[in-house]
Every structure is written in C-alpha cells, then in structure tokens.
Amino acid sequence: MEQEPILNEHNKQEYEPAHTAEHLLNQTMIRMFGCERSKNAHIERKKSKINYNLSSCPTPEQVAEIERRMNELIQQDLPVTFEFVTRDNIPEGVVLDKLPEDASETLRIVRIGDYDICACIGSHVKSTKEIESFKITSTSYNEGSFRIVYKVKV
C-alpha cells in the first residue's frame, strides 16, 4: 500500500474556481508581460485581488486582452492535475521562490493542461470549464505594482 506523502499543513481554504483562475492569470501575465508570478494575492469567493510587478501600466486594450485570454482558456476545458515529487525531481519550469523556508521535501505540482505548472498545496477545480467565466472588475497601478481585481462565475 502506497503511503500518502507528507506535505506542509495548508493554513487557508481557497475558493477552488478563483484559486484555479489565479494560476491561469499568473501564466497569462507571464506570457503577455514577461513578469514573474504574483507574490501577493488575496483569493475570495466574491472577489479576488492579485498584484504584479510591471514597469508600466497596461493599456485598457491589454486589460481587455487579459480577460479575453482567460475566458478562452476556461472554455478550452483544460484538465487540472497534480503529482507529488521530491525536491530533486522538480519538473522544468517550476519556480520555488514562493515556498516557505520550512516547506516539506515532497512537493505537490499542479498542472493546468499544458498551459501552467507550479508547486501548490491549495484546492483547485478538476477542469477549467468548471470556472465558467472570468471578469476583471477593476485595475490600478501604483509605483510598479499592477493590481487586478477579478471575480469568477460558476
């Protein structure tokens, strides 16, 4: 009988559709703007906020394109899967800079189709189509920090 890997305890309960959308949004921002994954996100059922370090504020057209791409990804019905790996078997493209210093030796890697891959212990939907839709409700830019406030419909 295979033993369940030991992971760090998770200190919060995410709203699965919004948390999965966070993964998609991170990868979309990386691809569109060449930035890093967000290190500052607040994910909730009613609305979520996420910040990115950008050298300039995206245009209204770019913001509309972010939302369009997100909804296109959602409709592609991408599978959300996970696997357990040890630190010496991290898949290519997985960045570990958000992990706490006391992170376990075994990590949970979450994949969203071929679009995104990252280490994460949070809760997710099984397929992007479960999210249904993504809406940016507001954005702001202040001293290199671009904030997106969004909500998902399920």
Side-chain angles (χ1 to χ4, degrees), residues 94-146:
V94 176
V95 179
L96 303 179
D97 62 347
K98 285 176 65 172
L99 291 181
E101 287 183 26
D102 65 344
S104 59
E105 179 63 26
T106 300
L107 301 174
R108 183 172 174 250
I109 305 298
V110 175
R111 293 179 191 268
I112 303 179
D114 290 331
Y115 191 73
D116 186 54
I117 182 172
C118 71
C120 183
I121 59 176
S123 300
H124 303 83
V125 297
K126 291 179 176 43
S127 162
T128 58
K129 207 157 189 180
E130 289 179 48
I131 300 170
E132 197 171 311
S133 70
F134 174 92
K135 175 75 176 153
I136 295 175
T137 58
S138 68
T139 62
S140 60
Y141 185 79
N142 186 20
E143 298 179 9
S145 180
F146 178 63

Side-chain angles (χ1 to χ4, degrees), residues 24 27 31 73 76 78-79 81 111-117:
L24 292 172
Q27 189 57 236
R31 292 178 185 210
L73 289 164
Q76 286 179 18
L78 300 172
T81 60
R111 293 179 191 268
I112 303 179
D114 290 331
Y115 191 73
D116 186 54
I117 182 172

